[in-house]
Amino acid sequence: MLTTSTVFRAARTTRALQRSFSSSIVARVRRAVVYNANGNPAENLRVLSVPNTLDPPPPSTLNIRFLLSPINPSDINVIEGVYPAKPLPRNPSNLSQTDSNDSAERVFIGGNEGLAEVMEVGEGVQGLKTGDWVVMVKQQAGTWCSDTNVGEQDVVRIPKVDGRLPSEVDAATMTVNPPTAYNMLRDFVQLKPGDWVVQNGANSAVGQAVIQIAAHRELKTLNLVRDRDDFAALEARLTSLGATRVLPYSLLDPTVDKARAKETRTSLQSLFAGSPPRLALNCVSGAPTTHMSSLLGSNAVLVSYGAMSKQPLSLPTSLFIFKDLTSKGFWQSRWYKTHSREERESLMQELVTLIVNGKLREPENEVFTIGADQDDESSTHALREKIQKIQGGRYGKKLLIKFDVKR
Amino acid sequence: MLTTSTVFRAARTTRALQRSFSSSIVARVRRAVVYNANGNPAENLRVLSVPNTLDPPPPSTLNIRFLLSPINPSDINVIEGVYPAKPLPRNPSNLSQTDSNDSAERVFIGGNEGLAEVMEVGEGVQGLKTGDWVVMVKQQAGTWCSDTNVGEQDVVRIPKVDGRLPSEVDAATMTVNPPTAYNMLRDFVQLKPGDWVVQNGANSAVGQAVIQIAAHRELKTLNLVRDRDDFAALEARLTSLGATRVLPYSLLDPTVDKARAKETRTSLQSLFAGSPPRLALNCVSGAPTTHMSSLLGSNAVLVSYGAMSKQPLSLPTSLFIFKDLTSKGFWQSRWYKTHSREERESLMQELVTLIVNGKLREPENEVFTIGADQDDESSTHALREKIQKIQGGRYGKKLLIKFDVKR
């Protein structure tokens, strides 16, 4: 039903859109990828330019400019409104925070992760200076923008190790996936060289980091992946990263082939040689995880960090009672909230050390540049097309946003 | 197909049965409830008498006579062969342990729990004397017998508290259900008076112990039970034990009535007043447990000790990732294996203290007596009839076996 207020709101929304697009012709001093309300990001994301520059940073804050900001699956979920964390609303005319509840008078900047360079530090800021590279530890800060002001506690510095920095792509993708892998391998089970770890979704960004960090620690990994035509190519790629074994889910699925599933389990048990995995990492849930759990030894921990199957985690109760299984979850956002600045810096130090020593390769990636001379309307069009392509989770490359801003 | 060996085996089995029944006419010095092979206990359990008395106890062992031995659901599962613990085989002619693999030449004595009186102590036994009451901590020792020899480490003494012993029924049912309740309320979450605990299968023996121990600790309990016609009577009974709230599963089941399930959750959240349960106890699994998990607060622990629905434990992965849920299992048998004699004795002390102070009532029960003058065949018949009645888990009373032996 169209009411007066609906029509009025629609007109206002149109004006707001026109204003945002037309402003891009006048001046593109700061830019961001924003949305007005939750929905499909291929339909509601847009590039917005605002004419104002940043004010000098207030005490204990920094002005930073983003160099590269990834588009992660969880960013899509945030925009869809199905993720339990939300960004703060911004005023669309200057990108400053706002209290407005009117969807025409507020926007949300997308993005949770990103690499930024410190441009200017406010009074009293300790341990950070102009030119430093920083990444966000504050959640949902809105990293898909050219530049912004942040609290000094919201970021952590990327340290140099032996005088070396990681690549921009490595640094931009360093706060979510590698630490998820690193912490899951460290915080739940005491593992020693030679121990087995099993994971599903092994081709995910976290999965690939798990393979590499585990290999560096001389842990063996059994890596379960979706069945696919090019399995051999994927197996070769994961093996080159350090995977000990790679198997498609179907080989463990008794509903596909009961005898073969039993054979697979028997052959894996002999591979484990009496020491089956005590750590399982899950980003899939559903049936593949039920089958994976049957491989675990006594007193194992199953750590879930995703549920790509969109199915629940379903396990035989007997595993908990008689095999002393523990099922836990891991969320890197919570880790940042519950750990000190020193612990965060130490984590970054560990990860940069792995990266600059070639133990953790940058993900396959593609940079989506929003050109300085490209207006908001055409940038929006190009961005939405790209977003549509990566939806479904089989794009295979990490997409990163870069703002090419005239300065 | 009948082969020579099948026929031969059948003949031998028949002879063995005849021998066991006929022996009961000659002498009934020791008796036991035994089975030859896994199967339906209402068909394969039998009462067996043997003519020999026990030898004097070897060093570090005791001769004990059983006063009362419960029939627990897990005993039925052991006989069915679906439980991950098995008793050792015995020689059917004298009930001593045997290495025979021939099912006609070995029997298993049923029963895992029971109260016994020490008759005679072997050399070097410390802290136990003739006349003491003991309960089994060794698993599957075969408590459904008149008397037996056990290692001193296989039992723990029932202490007197303020000069008082618990009742025979209390003592006979003290090693599995009350400690399961006691330990689950103690070992997983630090709870303080006023905190909520939620459990399903609240009418089970463990569930009733949870209600009473929680009430004693001033914890509030939300008790979920199967839907039934006499719900009000059950609610009244559990409330009289100390239950704070009792609800049938259907009230939380959105597939039964979506709006009502939502209302129930809303009204429970207001009952919890900002402090939802951080401990959930599960002996059901399946859908009722999925619904129960939606009531939990952040950082909660779901402890499973049974799966009466015979369905898997199925939970949304988001509970693990975003609400930091931990899912664990509890098995009192493992607790005994992994705890010292001092810890076991201290546990018994705590439980006897609760019992003699009226904080933990004996379960509703019925004693099945195997009369001294009743021959094995008629005892077997009566026992199988009774077993048939308790199968299905709705008998409502704990059945205990008593051997009335002429001495």
Side-chain angles (χ1 to χ4, degrees), chain A residues 155-201:
Chain A
V155 299
V156 62
R157 195 170 65 92
I158 299 284
K160 284 186 181 167
V161 169
D162 302 333
R164 289 176 292 172
L165 277 173
S167 72
E168 282 196 7
V169 170
D170 272 325
T173 56
M174 237 179 79
T175 41
V176 178
N177 296 327
T180 296
Y182 187 89
N183 289 326
M184 290 194 304
L185 285 170
R186 181 187 60 181
D187 292 352
F188 295 93
V189 176
Q190 289 273 20
L191 297 167
K192 58 180 194 310
D195 284 348
W196 279 93
V197 173
V198 59
Q199 66 167 339
N200 58 28

Short mmCIF file of all heavy atoms in Angstrom, two decimals, chain A residues 155-201:
data_model
loop_
_atom_site.label_atom_id
_atom_site.label_comp_id
_atom_site.label_asym_id
_atom_site.label_seq_id
_atom_site.Cartn_x
_atom_site.Cartn_y
_atom_site.Cartn_z
N VAL A 155 43.01 0.16 16.37
CA VAL A 155 43.93 -0.37 15.36
C VAL A 155 45.12 -1.05 16.04
O VAL A 155 45.37 -0.85 17.23
CB VAL A 155 44.48 0.75 14.43
CG1 VAL A 155 43.34 1.42 13.67
CG2 VAL A 155 45.28 1.77 15.24
N VAL A 156 45.81 -1.85 15.28
CA VAL A 156 47.08 -2.39 15.76
C VAL A 156 48.10 -2.20 14.63
O VAL A 156 47.76 -2.29 13.45
CB VAL A 156 46.93 -3.86 16.22
CG1 VAL A 156 46.50 -4.77 15.08
CG2 VAL A 156 48.22 -4.37 16.85
N ARG A 157 49.32 -1.88 15.02
CA ARG A 157 50.37 -1.59 14.04
C ARG A 157 50.87 -2.88 13.42
O ARG A 157 51.00 -3.90 14.09
CB ARG A 157 51.52 -0.87 14.75
CG ARG A 157 52.52 -0.19 13.82
CD ARG A 157 53.48 0.68 14.64
NE ARG A 157 54.30 -0.15 15.52
CZ ARG A 157 55.50 -0.63 15.17
NH1 ARG A 157 56.02 -0.37 13.98
NH2 ARG A 157 56.19 -1.36 16.02
N ILE A 158 51.16 -2.83 12.13
CA ILE A 158 51.83 -3.94 11.47
C ILE A 158 53.33 -3.74 11.68
O ILE A 158 53.91 -2.76 11.20
CB ILE A 158 51.54 -3.94 9.95
CG1 ILE A 158 50.05 -4.09 9.67
CG2 ILE A 158 52.35 -5.02 9.24
CD1 ILE A 158 49.52 -5.48 9.86
N PRO A 159 53.95 -4.66 12.42
CA PRO A 159 55.37 -4.45 12.72
C PRO A 159 56.25 -4.85 11.53
O PRO A 159 55.85 -5.67 10.70
CB PRO A 159 55.60 -5.39 13.90
CG PRO A 159 54.64 -6.51 13.67
CD PRO A 159 53.43 -5.91 13.00
N LYS A 160 57.44 -4.28 11.47
CA LYS A 160 58.44 -4.79 10.54
C LYS A 160 59.16 -5.94 11.24
O LYS A 160 59.41 -5.89 12.44
CB LYS A 160 59.45 -3.71 10.17
CG LYS A 160 58.89 -2.70 9.18
CD LYS A 160 59.96 -1.71 8.72
CE LYS A 160 59.36 -0.72 7.73
NZ LYS A 160 60.23 0.44 7.48
N VAL A 161 59.47 -6.99 10.48
CA VAL A 161 60.25 -8.10 11.04
C VAL A 161 61.52 -8.20 10.21
O VAL A 161 61.44 -8.33 8.98
CB VAL A 161 59.44 -9.41 10.99
CG1 VAL A 161 60.34 -10.60 11.32
CG2 VAL A 161 58.27 -9.35 11.96
N ASP A 162 62.66 -8.10 10.86
CA ASP A 162 63.94 -8.04 10.16
C ASP A 162 63.91 -6.94 9.10
O ASP A 162 64.37 -7.13 7.97
CB ASP A 162 64.28 -9.39 9.49
CG ASP A 162 64.31 -10.52 10.50
OD1 ASP A 162 64.58 -10.25 11.70
OD2 ASP A 162 64.05 -11.67 10.10
N GLY A 163 63.29 -5.81 9.47
CA GLY A 163 63.24 -4.68 8.55
C GLY A 163 62.25 -4.82 7.41
O GLY A 163 62.17 -3.95 6.55
N ARG A 164 61.50 -5.92 7.41
CA ARG A 164 60.60 -6.16 6.27
C ARG A 164 59.14 -6.05 6.68
O ARG A 164 58.74 -6.53 7.74
CB ARG A 164 60.86 -7.55 5.68
CG ARG A 164 62.18 -7.66 4.94
CD ARG A 164 62.41 -9.09 4.46
NE ARG A 164 62.63 -10.00 5.58
CZ ARG A 164 62.71 -11.33 5.44
NH1 ARG A 164 62.53 -11.90 4.26
NH2 ARG A 164 62.95 -12.09 6.50
N LEU A 165 58.34 -5.48 5.78
CA LEU A 165 56.89 -5.45 5.95
C LEU A 165 56.28 -6.54 5.05
O LEU A 165 56.86 -6.91 4.04
CB LEU A 165 56.32 -4.09 5.52
CG LEU A 165 56.37 -2.94 6.53
CD1 LEU A 165 55.94 -1.66 5.85
CD2 LEU A 165 55.46 -3.23 7.73
N PRO A 166 55.09 -7.03 5.41
CA PRO A 166 54.39 -7.92 4.47
C PRO A 166 53.91 -7.12 3.26
O PRO A 166 53.97 -5.89 3.26
CB PRO A 166 53.21 -8.43 5.30
CG PRO A 166 53.00 -7.41 6.36
CD PRO A 166 54.34 -6.79 6.64
N SER A 167 53.43 -7.81 2.24
CA SER A 167 52.85 -7.11 1.08
C SER A 167 51.57 -6.41 1.51
O SER A 167 51.00 -6.71 2.56
CB SER A 167 52.53 -8.12 -0.02
OG SER A 167 51.40 -8.89 0.35
N GLU A 168 51.09 -5.47 0.67
CA GLU A 168 49.83 -4.79 0.98
C GLU A 168 48.68 -5.80 1.08
O GLU A 168 47.82 -5.69 1.96
CB GLU A 168 49.50 -3.75 -0.10
CG GLU A 168 50.29 -2.46 0.05
CD GLU A 168 49.69 -1.30 -0.77
OE1 GLU A 168 48.58 -1.47 -1.33
OE2 GLU A 168 50.33 -0.24 -0.83
N VAL A 169 48.66 -6.77 0.18
CA VAL A 169 47.58 -7.77 0.21
C VAL A 169 47.66 -8.59 1.49
O VAL A 169 46.66 -8.82 2.17
CB VAL A 169 47.63 -8.68 -1.04
CG1 VAL A 169 46.67 -9.86 -0.88
CG2 VAL A 169 47.30 -7.90 -2.30
N ASP A 170 48.86 -9.04 1.83
CA ASP A 170 49.04 -9.80 3.08
C ASP A 170 48.56 -9.00 4.28
O ASP A 170 47.82 -9.51 5.13
CB ASP A 170 50.52 -10.15 3.28
CG ASP A 170 50.89 -11.46 2.61
OD1 ASP A 170 50.04 -12.37 2.59
OD2 ASP A 170 52.02 -11.56 2.12
N ALA A 171 48.99 -7.75 4.35
CA ALA A 171 48.65 -6.94 5.51
C ALA A 171 47.15 -6.67 5.56
O ALA A 171 46.53 -6.69 6.62
CB ALA A 171 49.43 -5.63 5.48
N ALA A 172 46.54 -6.45 4.38
CA ALA A 172 45.11 -6.11 4.34
C ALA A 172 44.25 -7.30 4.72
O ALA A 172 43.10 -7.14 5.14
CB ALA A 172 44.73 -5.62 2.94
N THR A 173 44.78 -8.51 4.59
CA THR A 173 43.99 -9.71 4.88
C THR A 173 44.50 -10.43 6.13
O THR A 173 44.30 -11.62 6.31
CB THR A 173 44.05 -10.69 3.68
OG1 THR A 173 45.43 -10.98 3.39
CG2 THR A 173 43.39 -10.10 2.45
N MET A 174 45.14 -9.68 7.01
CA MET A 174 45.84 -10.30 8.13
C MET A 174 45.06 -10.33 9.43
O MET A 174 45.49 -10.96 10.40
CB MET A 174 47.14 -9.53 8.38
CG MET A 174 48.36 -10.40 8.32
SD MET A 174 49.82 -9.39 8.61
CE MET A 174 49.77 -9.25 10.38
N THR A 175 43.93 -9.65 9.52
CA THR A 175 43.28 -9.54 10.83
C THR A 175 42.18 -10.57 11.06
O THR A 175 41.72 -10.74 12.18
CB THR A 175 42.66 -8.14 11.04
OG1 THR A 175 42.04 -7.72 9.83
CG2 THR A 175 43.72 -7.16 11.45
N VAL A 176 41.71 -11.24 10.01
CA VAL A 176 40.60 -12.18 10.19
C VAL A 176 41.05 -13.63 9.95
O VAL A 176 41.07 -14.45 10.88
CB VAL A 176 39.40 -11.82 9.29
CG1 VAL A 176 38.29 -12.85 9.47
CG2 VAL A 176 38.88 -10.42 9.62
N ASN A 177 41.43 -13.94 8.72
CA ASN A 177 41.66 -15.35 8.40
C ASN A 177 42.94 -15.94 8.98
O ASN A 177 42.87 -16.98 9.65
CB ASN A 177 41.60 -15.55 6.88
CG ASN A 177 40.20 -15.23 6.35
OD1 ASN A 177 39.21 -15.48 7.04
ND2 ASN A 177 40.11 -14.68 5.16
N PRO A 178 44.11 -15.31 8.78
CA PRO A 178 45.31 -15.94 9.36
C PRO A 178 45.24 -16.07 10.89
O PRO A 178 45.58 -17.14 11.42
CB PRO A 178 46.45 -15.04 8.89
CG PRO A 178 45.92 -14.39 7.64
CD PRO A 178 44.45 -14.18 7.91
N PRO A 179 44.78 -15.03 11.62
CA PRO A 179 44.72 -15.23 13.08
C PRO A 179 43.68 -16.27 13.50
O PRO A 179 43.86 -16.95 14.51
CB PRO A 179 44.38 -13.85 13.64
CG PRO A 179 43.86 -13.06 12.50
CD PRO A 179 44.46 -13.63 11.26
N THR A 180 42.59 -16.40 12.72
CA THR A 180 41.62 -17.46 13.02
C THR A 180 42.32 -18.82 12.95
O THR A 180 42.20 -19.65 13.86
CB THR A 180 40.43 -17.40 12.03
OG1 THR A 180 39.75 -16.16 12.20
CG2 THR A 180 39.46 -18.55 12.25
N ALA A 181 43.06 -19.03 11.87
CA ALA A 181 43.79 -20.29 11.71
C ALA A 181 44.83 -20.46 12.82
O ALA A 181 44.92 -21.51 13.47
CB ALA A 181 44.47 -20.33 10.34
N TYR A 182 45.59 -19.40 13.05
CA TYR A 182 46.68 -19.45 14.03
C TYR A 182 46.15 -19.76 15.43
O TYR A 182 46.66 -20.63 16.13
CB TYR A 182 47.41 -18.11 14.01
CG TYR A 182 48.66 -18.07 14.84
CD1 TYR A 182 49.89 -18.43 14.31
CD2 TYR A 182 48.60 -17.66 16.18
CE1 TYR A 182 51.04 -18.39 15.07
CE2 TYR A 182 49.75 -17.63 16.95
CZ TYR A 182 50.96 -17.99 16.39
OH TYR A 182 52.10 -17.96 17.16
N ASN A 183 45.09 -19.05 15.82
CA ASN A 183 44.56 -19.23 17.18
C ASN A 183 43.86 -20.57 17.35
O ASN A 183 43.96 -21.19 18.41
CB ASN A 183 43.60 -18.08 17.52
CG ASN A 183 44.33 -16.77 17.72
OD1 ASN A 183 45.45 -16.75 18.22
ND2 ASN A 183 43.71 -15.67 17.32
N MET A 184 43.15 -21.02 16.31
CA MET A 184 42.47 -22.32 16.45
C MET A 184 43.48 -23.44 16.60
O MET A 184 43.22 -24.43 17.28
CB MET A 184 41.56 -22.58 15.24
CG MET A 184 40.34 -21.67 15.20
SD MET A 184 39.06 -22.24 14.03
CE MET A 184 40.00 -22.32 12.51
N LEU A 185 44.64 -23.29 15.96
CA LEU A 185 45.68 -24.32 16.07
C LEU A 185 46.43 -24.23 17.40
O LEU A 185 47.15 -25.15 17.77
CB LEU A 185 46.68 -24.21 14.92
CG LEU A 185 46.19 -24.71 13.55
CD1 LEU A 185 47.18 -24.32 12.46
CD2 LEU A 185 45.99 -26.22 13.57
N ARG A 186 46.27 -23.11 18.10
CA ARG A 186 47.04 -22.91 19.33
C ARG A 186 46.21 -23.04 20.60
O ARG A 186 46.69 -23.55 21.61
CB ARG A 186 47.69 -21.53 19.30
CG ARG A 186 48.55 -21.24 20.53
CD ARG A 186 49.05 -19.80 20.55
NE ARG A 186 47.94 -18.85 20.57
CZ ARG A 186 48.10 -17.53 20.57
NH1 ARG A 186 49.32 -17.01 20.52
NH2 ARG A 186 47.06 -16.73 20.59
N ASP A 187 44.95 -22.57 20.57
CA ASP A 187 44.23 -22.32 21.82
C ASP A 187 43.40 -23.48 22.35
O ASP A 187 42.89 -23.41 23.47
CB ASP A 187 43.31 -21.11 21.66
CG ASP A 187 44.09 -19.81 21.50
OD1 ASP A 187 45.33 -19.85 21.66
OD2 ASP A 187 43.47 -18.77 21.21
N PHE A 188 43.18 -24.54 21.58
CA PHE A 188 42.22 -25.55 22.02
C PHE A 188 42.85 -26.88 22.42
O PHE A 188 42.40 -27.53 23.35
CB PHE A 188 41.17 -25.77 20.93
CG PHE A 188 40.32 -24.55 20.69
CD1 PHE A 188 40.66 -23.62 19.73
CD2 PHE A 188 39.21 -24.32 21.48
CE1 PHE A 188 39.89 -22.48 19.53
CE2 PHE A 188 38.43 -23.18 21.30
CZ PHE A 188 38.78 -22.26 20.32
N VAL A 189 43.87 -27.30 21.69
CA VAL A 189 44.51 -28.59 21.97
C VAL A 189 46.02 -28.38 21.92
O VAL A 189 46.53 -27.67 21.05
CB VAL A 189 44.11 -29.65 20.91
CG1 VAL A 189 44.86 -30.96 21.14
CG2 VAL A 189 42.60 -29.90 20.94
N GLN A 190 46.72 -28.94 22.88
CA GLN A 190 48.19 -28.89 22.86
C GLN A 190 48.67 -29.87 21.80
O GLN A 190 48.54 -31.08 21.96
CB GLN A 190 48.75 -29.34 24.23
CG GLN A 190 48.53 -28.35 25.34
CD GLN A 190 49.65 -27.32 25.41
OE1 GLN A 190 50.38 -27.11 24.43
NE2 GLN A 190 49.78 -26.66 26.54
N LEU A 191 49.23 -29.35 20.73
CA LEU A 191 49.66 -30.21 19.62
C LEU A 191 51.17 -30.22 19.53
O LEU A 191 51.82 -29.20 19.74
CB LEU A 191 49.07 -29.70 18.31
CG LEU A 191 47.53 -29.73 18.20
CD1 LEU A 191 47.07 -28.92 17.00
CD2 LEU A 191 47.02 -31.15 18.13
N LYS A 192 51.71 -31.39 19.19
CA LYS A 192 53.16 -31.48 19.02
C LYS A 192 53.45 -31.98 17.59
O LYS A 192 52.58 -32.56 16.93
CB LYS A 192 53.76 -32.42 20.06
CG LYS A 192 53.18 -33.82 20.04
CD LYS A 192 53.81 -34.71 21.10
CE LYS A 192 53.47 -36.17 20.82
NZ LYS A 192 52.02 -36.41 20.58
N PRO A 193 54.67 -31.75 17.11
CA PRO A 193 55.00 -32.18 15.74
C PRO A 193 54.59 -33.63 15.51
O PRO A 193 54.78 -34.48 16.38
CB PRO A 193 56.52 -32.01 15.69
CG PRO A 193 56.79 -30.87 16.62
CD PRO A 193 55.80 -31.05 17.74
N GLY A 194 54.00 -33.89 14.36
CA GLY A 194 53.55 -35.23 14.02
C GLY A 194 52.08 -35.47 14.30
O GLY A 194 51.49 -36.41 13.77
N ASP A 195 51.47 -34.62 15.15
CA ASP A 195 50.03 -34.78 15.45
C ASP A 195 49.19 -34.43 14.23
O ASP A 195 49.54 -33.56 13.43
CB ASP A 195 49.62 -33.86 16.61
CG ASP A 195 50.08 -34.39 17.96
OD1 ASP A 195 50.52 -35.57 18.02
OD2 ASP A 195 50.02 -33.64 18.95
N TRP A 196 48.04 -35.11 14.13
CA TRP A 196 47.10 -34.87 13.04
C TRP A 196 46.05 -33.84 13.42
O TRP A 196 45.55 -33.84 14.54
CB TRP A 196 46.38 -36.17 12.66
CG TRP A 196 47.18 -37.07 11.78
CD1 TRP A 196 47.98 -38.10 12.18
CD2 TRP A 196 47.23 -37.04 10.35
NE1 TRP A 196 48.54 -38.71 11.08
CE2 TRP A 196 48.10 -38.09 9.94
CE3 TRP A 196 46.64 -36.24 9.37
CZ2 TRP A 196 48.38 -38.34 8.59
CZ3 TRP A 196 46.93 -36.49 8.03
CH2 TRP A 196 47.79 -37.53 7.65
N VAL A 197 45.71 -33.01 12.44
CA VAL A 197 44.57 -32.09 12.55
C VAL A 197 43.70 -32.35 11.34
O VAL A 197 44.22 -32.56 10.24
CB VAL A 197 45.05 -30.62 12.55
CG1 VAL A 197 43.87 -29.66 12.50
CG2 VAL A 197 45.93 -30.33 13.75
N VAL A 198 42.37 -32.38 11.52
CA VAL A 198 41.48 -32.57 10.38
C VAL A 198 40.62 -31.32 10.23
O VAL A 198 40.24 -30.71 11.22
CB VAL A 198 40.63 -33.85 10.55
CG1 VAL A 198 39.79 -33.82 11.81
CG2 VAL A 198 39.74 -34.09 9.33
N GLN A 199 40.39 -30.91 8.99
CA GLN A 199 39.53 -29.75 8.76
C GLN A 199 38.68 -29.96 7.52
O GLN A 199 39.07 -30.67 6.60
CB GLN A 199 40.36 -28.47 8.62
CG GLN A 199 41.26 -28.43 7.39
CD GLN A 199 41.83 -27.03 7.11
OE1 GLN A 199 41.28 -26.03 7.56
NE2 GLN A 199 42.92 -26.97 6.36
N ASN A 200 37.52 -29.32 7.51
CA ASN A 200 36.72 -29.27 6.29
C ASN A 200 36.77 -27.85 5.72
O ASN A 200 37.37 -26.96 6.32
CB ASN A 200 35.29 -29.78 6.54
CG ASN A 200 34.57 -29.00 7.61
OD1 ASN A 200 34.84 -27.83 7.84
ND2 ASN A 200 33.64 -29.65 8.28
N GLY A 201 36.18 -27.66 4.56
CA GLY A 201 36.29 -26.35 3.90
C GLY A 201 37.75 -25.97 3.75
O GLY A 201 38.12 -24.80 3.86
#
